[in-house]
Amino acid sequence: MKISKVILYGLCEKTIFVEKALLATIHIVGYSDSFAEIEEYNNKPFYSVSNLINVEFDCIIVCLGDRKLFSKISSDLVNAGIPTDKILDIIGLLKKQRVDAVLENTVKKEYDGIVFGCSHAAWGINPQLLPGNCCNLAVNGEDIYYHYRVAKKAYDIYLPKIRNLKYVILDLWDYPVFNVDLSMSTGLLFYYNSYGFMEDLHNYANNPLYKADINLEMKERNFYSPLSTQREKSIADAILNMSYVRENYDRFFRIRSAGNMEPAKSVLYWEYRLEDEYDMGIPPNSAIPYHGYFACIKRYYDKTNKENREYISNLCELLKQIHPELKIFVTLMPRYINVEKLHRDNECMKKYRGEFLDNMRKIKGDFGVKILDFKDRWEISANPHFFRDEDHLNSFGASAFTSILSKEIQKEML
């Protein structure tokens, strides 16, 4: 499909992104939208949907970044006589799994360090402050199994980028981490929507919370799959300046947290969070409701715990295959002090802590893993100005915490 003439659908800030991202060889012949009754926009013709059939163009790029809206608009355009293959969704062209978006970057030749983890690491570890050239592959909600699958993808496809790794940071969320199977939880689709690893659905087929068709489940929630077709990748490469996309996509297309109208800190192409967002702290007396936080650990899953012990061993073994001298650091990051106090006094959490330490002793003996437990670093956790919420550090907290982490890593690397 050769493309040289396009129409942009949607008058919004994301349209500005597309205008700037288009290659110089791509000509914008006009604009369209459903709500405006104008004849020109940006000194270009503005077409109603009903008039588009009379315009010569190669494709229409819908710039809204909303899957449900795209379905409605696409239906309207087809009813107006526009062929389906001429209707493109800008997110459909650019969506990726985070591991691919970061490691495909040809500007960065090789990495000295990699961070794996969930939202705690994604928001709280700034790779720019770590030794050498480091990237942060952490994704909101990621569990041990998907840490392994992301690392395996990096090893199988991007080995030239990581063949000289010196260290890996594996952030393991919290003591109950071995009791977590994301694919059997309600959080799986949020993980995929946050650019998680979707090539493997793990135990999704056994999850009674979802229907058999995961694409239907994603569509019903207005979520995008992070998997792109070869056609979408080819079109994106043919019409978009990918250097501009890498630098600006995350500024324009921000994933919003469930139930939270603030932009979430998930990023796709950037190696760290949004540079232009600063959370100014939380109320000093803030704390997650006791019953809400511990709901996920009330039931113990023997099978899941056993599987996760195998997965983390497989992960460490894989990492050592990259380089036998590679250092593996397992981290536990601090939450806000009021939450840490709840953890410290809770009998259930004490049990999980004991099991976590038992599991860590085994992988420490087998693979020489260094355990860095920062949950008692009160200079971080007792400062409300360092937190976005009770669970996650903000930009200032990340800078303070990563400085501590960097010093620990440098000490061990000597």
Side-chain angles (χ1 to χ4, degrees), residues 47-189:
Y47 301 103
S48 65
V49 170
S50 60
N51 287 332
L52 287 172
I53 192 67
N54 301 315
V55 183
E56 182 183 347
F57 61 88
D58 299 312
C59 70
I60 296 177
I61 304 175
V62 179
C63 306
L64 301 177
D66 184 292
R67 187 172 180 180
K68 287 184 177 179
L69 276 179
F70 175 77
S71 294
K72 171 66 169 61
I73 292 164
S74 182
S75 177
D76 291 343
L77 292 172
V78 169
N79 290 337
I82 308 301
T84 303
D85 63 355
K86 281 191 170 188
I87 307 169
L88 305 176
D89 183 349
I90 186 60
I91 287 190
L93 298 180
L94 297 176
K95 62 188 179 179
K96 293 176 184 286
Q97 297 172 141
R98 178 153 171 77
V99 59
D100 295 312
V102 172
L103 295 183
E104 282 177 356
N105 188 355
T106 56
V107 174
K108 298 289 183 74
K109 301 301 182 184
E110 290 189 15
Y111 288 101
D112 302 299
I114 288 182
V115 179
F116 299 103
C118 62
S119 58
H120 289 195
W123 302 0
I125 298 179
N126 185 343
Q128 299 161 359
L129 301 177
L130 292 170
N133 185 21
C134 181
C135 68
N136 189 338
L137 298 181
V139 172
N140 296 0
E142 191 166 283
D143 63 1
I144 290 175
Y145 178 77
Y146 280 114
H147 297 337
Y148 169 68
R149 294 298 284 119
V150 170
K152 186 73 164 57
K153 177 69 180 286
Y155 180 84
D156 290 341
I157 305 300
Y158 304 105
L159 186 59
K161 287 283 190 77
I162 63 173
R163 61 189 169 193
N164 292 316
L165 275 183
K166 297 178 178 62
Y167 66 93
V168 164
I169 298 168
L170 176 59
D171 186 73
L172 287 186
W173 177 61
D174 210 336
Y175 299 133
V177 67
F178 286 88
N179 199 46
V180 175
D181 179 348
L182 180 65
S183 66
M184 293 297 290
S185 76
T186 59
L188 180 66
L189 304 188

